[in-house]
Amino acid sequence: MRGPAGRGGWQTGPVSSESNENAPVDSPFRHESSARDEAPQYVLPLVVRIEKAAPPARTDALETAARAVLTLLSDERALGEGEDEGEWAAAVRDWQDARIRKVVRRARGAEWRRACALPGITVTGHGPLPRTPPAHDDAPSLPATASSVAEVRVFPPVPLDGWPKELAKLQVSGTDLDDPAPPPPADPAHPVLWLSPGLAMSAGKAMAQAGHGAQLAWWELSETDRAAWRDAGFPLCVRTPDAARWRELTAAGLPVVRDAGFTEIAAGSCTVVADHPALRR
């Protein structure tokens, strides 16, 4: 069963970061008023663990956030209808029928432990990406990293103004993260969430956008392709292409995320292209 994408849920095909006039009228990512604005608004909370001594690497956090969204969407508690629906299904359905908002907050220490006591799913990353080998033997070596493995906890959607108190007090700011070294090229066999090279986003903002991109890909896939992705553990990469490659991607007919303009960047900006191999067949 397809998600809201089956009802014209997002922009695909050639796009421009200056205009959103070609987006479907009922797109959850459209920044102009639409029928989705009349529905009660929900948000998907994500909390990333950022300890002072060893924060996660940026790319690991982005990829883990995207996998967390997919993990929740495919969880049996978020699926079903009527008597067969899971305990989170109604909230997920209401959230998907309105704007697909995601907010990333940070936690450490006792804050993280309190967040983990609430119903949700913790997804663990893979740690800092392996460094690209130096081009020659006498190239300077990079310093060792103190980065930890990313941990992101995703919770069932909540009303926009109805966050649990344990999450409401967590900070949105302070999610600036770095990679210890440039990530290697994306694995062409895996889905890739391509971030716009022309937009500067905090790690928290980019994590939410990567989650949007993963969700768009999920909605577009067949049940068979969804099952294969889920059974493989949702492998994916988050990378930033150069400007020429970005232009190619936005014209390739793949799902494109446009920001609603609530934070950091202008409304209508193209932030992510969701490039899943199954969507290129």
Side-chain angles (χ1 to χ4, degrees):
M1 180 178 66
R2 295 289 177 97
R7 301 195 297 273
W10 60 75
Q11 168 97 16
T12 59
V15 293
S16 156
S17 60
E18 290 79 27
S19 170
N20 199 31
E21 62 185 7
N22 296 322
V25 172
D26 201 27
S27 168
F29 298 101
R30 189 183 178 98
H31 61 277
E32 293 92 344
S33 296
S34 76
R36 290 181 177 274
D37 295 305
E38 303 302 320
Q41 297 296 302
Y42 285 74
V43 62
L44 187 75
L46 298 109
V47 175
V48 56
R49 183 179 186 181
I50 302 181
E51 300 290 347
K52 290 182 178 180
R58 180 183 175 96
T59 296
D60 191 30
L62 268 58
E63 294 175 349
T64 305
R67 290 194 296 111
V69 172
L70 294 166
T71 300
L72 180 133
L73 290 173
S74 62
D75 191 279
E76 61 181 10
R77 289 168 289 183
L79 302 175
E81 295 181 5
E83 294 181 356
D84 296 328
E85 75 175 15
E87 60 188 287
W88 299 343
V92 170
R93 184 167 56 249
D94 289 343
W95 168 62
Q96 292 188 130
D97 284 344
R99 296 280 184 174
I100 312 301
R101 297 187 181 187
K102 300 177 182 70
V103 172
V104 177
R105 296 177 183 261
R106 62 179 173 86
R108 63 171 60 100
E111 296 173 332
W112 175 254
R113 291 190 292 274
R114 286 192 291 268
C116 288
L118 298 176
I121 305 169
T122 297
V123 176
T124 302
H126 303 295
L129 293 168
R131 300 179 175 125
T132 303
H136 44 83
D137 293 339
D138 59 349
S141 60
L142 293 167
T145 175
S147 297
S148 64
V149 174
E151 292 179 78
V152 175
R153 189 163 179 85
V154 61
F155 303 86
V158 297
L160 193 60
D161 58 355
W163 284 66
K165 62 180 181 179
E166 295 88 349
L167 303 183
K169 64 179 63 175
L170 299 178
Q171 296 295 312
V172 176
S173 61
T175 55
D176 291 327
L177 302 171
D178 296 308
D179 282 316
D187 185 340
H190 288 170
V192 183
L193 304 174
W194 296 101
L195 295 178
S196 169
L199 296 174
M201 294 184 280
S202 67
K205 179 72 172 182
M207 289 170 68
Q209 299 301 306
H212 289 335
Q215 187 168 359
L216 265 60
W218 179 255
W219 280 346
E220 186 72 0
L221 293 173
S222 68
E223 291 293 344
T224 299
D225 289 327
R226 285 183 181 181
W229 199 11
R230 180 192 64 233
D231 293 346
F234 293 120
L236 57 83
C237 302
V238 176
R239 296 291 188 273
T240 302
D242 60 29
R245 177 60 174 152
W246 177 251
R247 288 192 294 270
E248 294 175 359
L249 289 162
T250 56
L254 296 166
V256 176
V257 178
R258 285 184 176 276
D259 193 66
F262 295 120
T263 60
E264 294 193 23
I265 58 179
S269 299
C270 302
T271 58
V272 178
V273 174
D275 186 3
H276 191 293
L279 301 181
R280 290 184 171 273
R281 295 173 185 164

